[in-house]
């Protein structure tokens, strides 16, 4: 019998989309749902009987989520896969680097818009499964009290195969991921303690596209629309100021900063944020809070809608 706690997830950035490579990094995760599904099609209806005729297998599609704590080293792989552009800068020579990630404008490959990864998923059942050509279609970073920073990555992959499981070595310095108790939020250039929960979503809107290429695997990954960067969360409601900002559609800069010992840090910088939903309600005798939604807009001066800076010991994502 296989146990989840005995499993592991490994990964490696690919040089060419869908060409598998052996894992060279491993991460500790909370859950994963990567799975292959098969499109099906029917070939006949009039069969001389009341039985259901045989159908045929079609395109193999591989999709699923990985949910993991945002470890200061491992989280950089998710940021690279979801945003594409990374620019490292030395903080302490040879030991610490501040890498900036922004959404990519041009496609990485002719058949995939973003950097792709080979994943090794071992479920403690005989063999590991290798998923090649995995691209992050959607990335969420979730901040909550009494929780570490959670990363949820929605993946679209090209192929799968059984392989021998590797021996994982997980990042150990630091031992713990980023967590809520060092997170700070700034809104419109001023620190605020009104934000009680926050989720950032980067939706790359990816889909696997099949072709007539003598294969049942998808032939490429393509975008179905532009990158959408949104926010959702819980905001304390002591005064009317943010509600007025919603009605006036006032744009505000939002930054989130979280740290870990020995100068590890993660900073989200969204230069233009506008509330898209700010529902007011009195649901009972409890204190008022607002479950808001917001959208990040492109800032011409910054040439981006989002910049994520990760300070860690690794520079080569």
């Amino acid at each position: 019998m296989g146990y989840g706690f005995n499993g592991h997830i490994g990964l490696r950035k690919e040089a060419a989309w869908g060409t598998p490579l052996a894992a060279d990094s491993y991460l500790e995760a909370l859950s994963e749902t990567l799975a292959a599904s098969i499109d099906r099609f029917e070939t006949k209806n009039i069969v001389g009987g009341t039985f259901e005729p045989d159908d045929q297998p079609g395109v193999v599609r591989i999709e699923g989520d990985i949910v993991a704590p945002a470890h200061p080293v491992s989280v950089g792989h998710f940021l690279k896969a979801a945003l594409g552009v990374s620019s490292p800068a030395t903080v302490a020579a040879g030991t610490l680097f501040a890498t900036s990630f922004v959404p990519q404008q041009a496609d990485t490959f002719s058949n995939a818009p973003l950097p792709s990864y080979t994943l090794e998923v071992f479920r403690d059942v005989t063999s590991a499964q290798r998923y090649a050509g995995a691209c992050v279609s959607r990335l969420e970073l979730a901040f909550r009290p009494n929780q570490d920073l959670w990363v949820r990555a929605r993946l679209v992959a090209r192929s799968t195969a059984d392989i021998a499981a590797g021996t994982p070595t997980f990042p150990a310095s630091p031992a713990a991921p980023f967590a809520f108790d060092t997170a700070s939020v700034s809104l419109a250039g001023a620190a605020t303690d009104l934000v009680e929960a926050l989720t950032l979503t980067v939706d790359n809107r990816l889909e696997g596209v099949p072709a007539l290429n003598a294969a049942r695997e998808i032939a490429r990954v393509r975008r179905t629309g532009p990158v959408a960067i949104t926010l959702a969360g819980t905001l304390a409601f002591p005064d009317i100021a943010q509600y007025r900002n919603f009605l006036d559609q006032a744009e505000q800069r939002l930054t989130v900063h979280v740290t870990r010992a020995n100068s590890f840090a993660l900073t989200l910088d969204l230069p233009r944020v506008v509330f898209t939903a700010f529902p007011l309600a009195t649901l009972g005798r409890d204190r008022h809070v607002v479950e808001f939604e917001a959208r990040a807009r492109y800032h011409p001066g910054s040439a981006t809608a989002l910049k994520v800076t990760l300070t860690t010991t690794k520079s080569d994502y």
Side-chain angles (χ1 to χ4, degrees):
M1 178 179 291
Y3 293 101
F5 53 76
N6 276 338
H8 65 251
I9 298 175
L11 73 166
R12 185 172 183 175
K13 186 158 62 74
E14 295 174 346
W17 176 73
T19 301
L21 298 172
D24 62 358
S25 299
Y26 290 87
L27 59 92
E28 294 172 307
L30 293 164
S31 64
E32 59 82 18
T33 58
L34 283 167
S37 63
I38 300 176
D39 293 349
R40 311 197 71 84
F41 62 96
E42 297 176 349
T43 61
K44 48 194 172 185
N45 291 320
I46 304 171
V47 295
T50 59
F51 56 85
E52 185 176 37
D54 293 347
D55 62 359
Q56 296 292 314
V59 176
V60 178
R61 301 185 186 274
I62 302 165
E63 297 183 358
D65 292 354
I66 292 177
V67 181
H71 186 278
V73 175
S74 299
V75 70
H77 296 295
F78 291 104
L79 296 172
K80 178 68 174 183
L83 298 175
V85 176
S86 58
S87 304
T90 301
V91 176
T95 59
L96 209 58
F97 304 90
T99 301
S100 297
F101 301 86
V102 297
Q104 186 165 293
Q105 300 298 310
D107 287 354
T108 302
F109 305 112
S110 63
N111 43 16
L114 288 165
S116 61
Y117 285 72
T118 298
L119 301 175
E120 174 195 315
V121 181
F122 180 56
R123 300 181 173 98
D124 192 30
V125 181
T126 314
S127 302
Q129 277 67 54
R130 183 184 67 200
Y131 300 98
C135 295
V136 171
S137 178
R138 180 184 175 99
L139 182 73
E140 296 179 5
L141 299 175
F143 300 82
R144 297 285 187 280
N146 296 325
Q147 180 183 294
D148 45 13
L149 171 57
W150 278 17
V151 179
R152 179 185 295 272
R154 180 70 176 176
L155 297 153
V156 177
R158 180 184 187 183
S159 65
T160 182
D162 296 343
I163 61 170
T167 302
T169 301
F170 301 111
S173 179
F178 294 118
F180 81 100
D181 56 346
T182 65
S184 59
V185 179
S186 174
L187 193 58
T192 178
D193 62 357
L194 298 181
V195 179
E196 300 178 6
L198 185 67
T199 298
L200 169 75
T201 300
V202 178
D203 192 351
N204 288 312
R205 299 175 175 176
L206 303 185
E207 68 172 359
V209 180
L212 302 179
N213 62 343
R216 291 169 57 206
E217 300 172 351
I218 60 173
R220 58 188 56 87
V221 174
R222 284 288 180 261
R223 300 185 188 272
T224 62
V227 180
I229 300 173
T230 57
L231 295 155
T234 304
L235 189 72
F237 191 52
D239 59 57
I240 210 73
Q242 292 302 331
Y243 180 59
R244 291 307 318 174
N245 284 333
F246 164 65
L247 293 179
D248 297 337
Q249 287 294 278
E251 294 179 352
Q252 304 178 83
R253 182 178 187 177
L254 185 143
T255 61
V256 184
H257 185 67
V258 61
T259 62
R260 180 50 70 186
N262 300 322
S263 301
F264 295 99
L266 180 72
T267 302
L268 313 180
D269 187 356
L270 300 93
R272 296 175 64 208
V273 171
V274 62
F275 289 117
T276 55
F278 203 92
L280 303 185
T282 302
L283 302 178
R285 66 182 67 183
D286 297 336
R287 64 186 180 88
H288 286 299
V289 295
V290 177
E291 302 295 330
F292 71 89
E293 297 175 6
R295 177 178 298 169
R297 292 175 169 171
Y298 181 82
H299 188 274
S302 304
T304 187
L306 168 67
K307 179 180 179 180
V308 182
T309 302
L310 175 65
T311 303
T312 186
T313 53
K314 184 175 175 62
S315 66
D316 55 337
Y317 289 104

